[in-house]
Amino acid sequence: MKRRERYIISGLVMFLCMGTIYSWGVFQTPLRQTLETLYGEKISPTLISMPYTTFLFCYAFSMPVAGLFIKKINPKILAIAGSLLISLAWILAGYATSIEFIILTYGILGGIGVGIVYGIPMAIVSEWFPDKKGFAIGLTLLGFGLSPFVTAPLAGELIIKFGVFSTFKILGVAFGIILTLLSLTLRFPNKNETIITETRSEEFSLDIAPKEMIKTTKFYALWICYAIGAFSGLLAIGVASSYAQQVIGISPLKAAFFTSFFAIFNGAGRPLFGAITDKLGSKKAILISYSSIIFAAGLSLISKDSLVAFIIAFSILWLNLGGWLSIAPASTANIFGKPHYTANYGILFTAYGVGALSQGFIGGYFKETFGSYIYIFYPVIAACILGIFICLIFLRKKSVKD
């Protein structure tokens, strides 16, 4: 294996550990039942989703801060610090006596830890693969998307055997060891290492610094598009298990199976849309994503009780969440250039946090107000239609400063 491919493997495994957030649905019910049984705490559907929502929000907003230091601090040291914080968050969550403590530990500390680590493998892979950055980043992020395929059944078995709080502790120790060891393998290419590239020469002429980027219309257009993509995908992931049980009427065991199954599409969406962005450009990749999300949401509304429609629709929705986690970083480099890519994408990534925060409240609100998760697809369709107009109007191929 060539040296540079090793960084994709290391990053993929790190994201496999960090992507356990997408297995939150497996923890939700046993955690609520355990807290209610042991401490008499009544937890609403919105509140039980808050650790998931808080985690996503905190990791999105800590990533731009960490991005400012990736090139200034040895990436190994920064990655180890974040890895230890992730481990600590999971272990502390194992001692919780309330949902608020889970939000503080798993949600806030864990989210910040992932925010610190998240951008490091991506930045390193983008440096080693300037010729195929979208595809290479997508392959690295494959681990984040595929994580529930591995961690959901693993967590489920551990919860059955040891209980939900012991599972937090076990996974915390395991993640601390794995992430710390893999962090030691990370480094940027040095000046003496020449990377053969077929990258278009005009891409190297772009050099938009963060302060300049946030003054452009294209930044805000891409930010809104990213927030809409994250909102749609994270909402589907957050309610998939509950939706399957309450709308389709399948058992919790089958619902857990589908959580793992959909993870394949979440993972596949990253290299797929990374390659689409490399080949067709950001605008077409965004339009393809929104169109397929609208199709999936419409299919769910038309065939409310159909298991087949559920499988097709949620596969597409999970595919697109993975897709946006490749479209956005590749588009950041395409539109604003490579020199400030890490800091620029860190700022853009706050859109993911807003999408995460909004899906938590909207998903819970629509369930509590209308009594069914089926109604979540109306705001998803509306948001994607808005995204299409923004993309067509503001992401046309003009100067980045237009």
Side-chain angles (χ1 to χ4, degrees), residues 111-129:
I112 293 173
V114 170
I116 292 172
V117 179
Y118 187 93
I120 299 172
M122 287 177 55
I124 287 173
V125 167
S126 70
E127 291 280 344
W128 283 101
F129 290 86

Side-chain angles (χ1 to χ4, degrees), residues 43-373:
I43 305 172
S44 69
T46 300
L47 189 57
I48 195 62
S49 70
M50 280 300 103
Y52 170 74
T53 300
T54 304
F55 183 107
L56 294 173
F57 181 81
C58 289
Y59 112 73
F61 278 85
S62 59
M63 185 180 160
V65 178
L68 298 175
F69 297 97
I70 289 177
K71 288 294 185 71
K72 299 177 181 178
I73 300 175
N74 187 318
K76 296 179 183 179
I77 296 174
L78 196 61
I80 289 172
S83 298
L84 294 176
L85 187 57
I86 293 169
S87 177
L88 178 64
W90 278 81
I91 293 171
L92 288 176
Y95 293 96
T97 58
S98 67
I99 190 65
E100 289 79 12
F101 192 78
I102 297 289
I103 293 171
L104 176 63
T105 54
Y106 177 93
I108 296 177
L109 294 181
I112 293 173
V114 170
I116 292 172
V117 179
Y118 187 93
I120 299 172
M122 287 177 55
I124 287 173
V125 167
S126 70
E127 291 280 344
W128 283 101
F129 290 86
D131 50 336
K132 300 175 182 178
K133 56 182 177 294
F135 183 65
I137 290 172
L139 281 178
T140 308
L141 287 169
L142 183 67
F144 212 84
L146 283 179
S147 181
F149 185 73
V150 177
T151 58
L154 173 62
E157 289 294 327
L158 289 172
I159 290 170
I160 292 171
K161 190 170 184 179
F162 300 106
V164 66
F165 291 125
S166 293
T167 299
F168 278 123
K169 297 172 188 176
I170 293 168
L171 291 177
V173 172
F175 293 158
I177 295 170
I178 295 169
L179 290 172
T180 299
L181 290 176
L182 289 174
S183 295
L184 295 172
T185 68
L186 302 177
R187 73 175 182 86
F188 289 104
N190 59 47
K191 296 180 180 179
N192 298 322
E193 291 170 310
T194 302
I195 302 172
I196 299 175
T197 173
E198 298 176 358
T199 306
R200 298 186 299 273
S201 60
E202 62 266 25
E203 290 185 3
F204 289 103
S205 64
L206 293 170
D207 185 4
I208 310 298
K211 289 183 179 180
E212 298 172 338
M213 180 186 71
I214 61 175
K215 296 177 183 178
T216 66
T217 302
K218 282 193 185 318
F219 166 73
Y220 293 100
L222 184 59
W223 190 97
I224 294 172
C225 287
Y226 193 9
I228 291 171
F231 161 75
S232 303
L234 291 172
L235 184 57
I237 284 181
V239 305
S241 180
S242 299
Y243 184 98
Q245 296 174 58
Q246 297 176 22
V247 178
I248 307 301
I250 64 178
S251 67
L253 185 61
K254 287 185 179 179
F257 164 77
F258 281 117
T259 299
S260 296
F261 174 73
F262 293 141
I264 298 173
F265 292 89
N266 188 7
R270 298 160 199 252
L272 173 63
F273 275 94
I276 290 173
T277 307
D278 285 341
K279 186 72 175 178
L280 302 179
S282 301
K283 178 182 173 182
K284 290 182 180 179
I286 291 171
L287 294 176
I288 290 170
S289 174
Y290 284 152
S291 298
S292 59
I293 291 172
I294 291 172
F295 169 78
L299 179 63
S300 296
L301 290 171
I302 294 171
S303 307
K304 296 180 181 179
D305 303 323
S306 170
L307 177 61
V308 174
F310 164 71
I311 294 171
I312 294 172
F314 276 75
S315 295
I316 292 172
L317 291 169
W318 283 56
L319 182 81
N320 276 276
L321 176 63
W324 269 99
L325 288 163
S326 287
I327 292 172
S331 297
T332 301
N334 289 343
I335 297 172
F336 303 108
K338 181 184 168 188
H340 298 280
Y341 162 75
T342 303
N344 285 343
Y345 182 61
I347 295 171
L348 182 71
F349 197 70
T350 57
Y352 184 94
V354 171
L357 189 64
S358 60
Q359 68 79 29
F361 287 107
I362 290 175
Y365 172 79
F366 273 77
K367 172 62 172 67
E368 293 175 15
T369 303
F370 299 103
S372 174
Y373 283 113

